[in-house]
Amino acid sequence: MRFQQNFKNWTSDNDNIDKFIQDIQLSYHGNAKEALEWIPHDRLYNIKYITKDELGEIYRANWIDGKIGIYAYCEGKKSWDNKNQNWRRQQCNMFVNLKSLNTPNILTLEFVNKIKIEHKFYGITQDPETKNYMMVLNNICKKCNKICNSIHFQHKFIDWTSDNNDIDKFIQDTQLSTHGNIEKALEWVSYDRFHDIKYIAKNEFDNILVYRANWIDGDIISWDSENQNWKRTRCNMIVNLKSLNTPNNLTLEFVKKVYASS
Ligand SMILES: [Zn+2]
Ligand SMILES: [Zn+2]
């Protein structure tokens, strides 16, 4: 019902896509969060290219409105906000991925169900310049069957680099293996996040230089969905910096050894 009343308020400019989204919205009668929406492109910002796969280009973006809330009942008990006559939403500005839909004819219920095995599928948008239609979605962690810490880390891969592919890959792998256990993740910490850096000693045995420093940001403790960023603790904590003479030392074994001795 609620979706139907809104049909006149949006169009994708493609009759097949309109009809397709409408049908899906009508079929998810009591479960609005599983329906697809038409998402106007100007509700997405910070759009950044990530990579390409067999279906086409993939981007990351922030979605101003965020997804329709979890508790969605057709006649508006929870997710329908009577006062504002609109859906109640969660996670404004949430990170999403945009994936090209090269052939809009590909849109069938079967296709959507296939996408939904590995993704949250929120809706469809159109790039006003290229006129390409794109799916708005999120990866689901195969292990946790939800959007866990690993997925939040993944969204931020394009925001940092060590300028060394091996180190990038190594840090990314530790982040992808965090799931519910955030302490397992390593981060790339840019040098300007440290202050009061002081030389302490040189280890005669392996020539490793040791410094102490204050780390402005501190430890990650959890994902903060309101700010779409990591919540941290112990800002300005004192840490030690040890030189990594040969970045190739960076293996999981090496990291375990460092943990064991600190
Ligand atoms: Zn209804
Ligand atoms: Zn997970």
Side-chain angles (χ1 to χ4, degrees), residues 140-151 176-181:
I140 298 175
C141 172
K142 282 181 197 133
K143 192 176 166 204
C144 308
N145 199 25
K146 63 171 189 178
I147 299 170
C148 71
N149 291 323
S150 304
I151 306 292
L176 287 177
S177 66
T178 48
H179 305 289
N181 184 1

Side-chain angles (χ1 to χ4, degrees), residues 1-2 29 74-75:
M1 253 311 262
R2 300 298 180 191
H29 213 252
C74 198
E75 295 312 329

Side-chain angles (χ1 to χ4, degrees), residues 67-105:
K67 62 187 180 181
I68 292 174
I70 286 178
Y71 299 105
Y73 297 101
C74 198
E75 295 312 329
K77 291 192 185 72
K78 285 189 175 160
S79 263
W80 181 256
D81 183 344
N82 253 325
K83 212 175 94 194
N84 296 313
Q85 289 294 300
N86 211 334
W87 295 103
R88 252 185 218 123
R89 292 179 181 269
Q90 292 188 323
Q91 301 203 26
C92 316
N93 302 305
M94 65 189 291
F95 284 111
V96 289
N97 292 126
L98 312 180
K99 215 166 176 182
S100 307
L101 203 55
N102 291 335
T103 47
N105 302 336

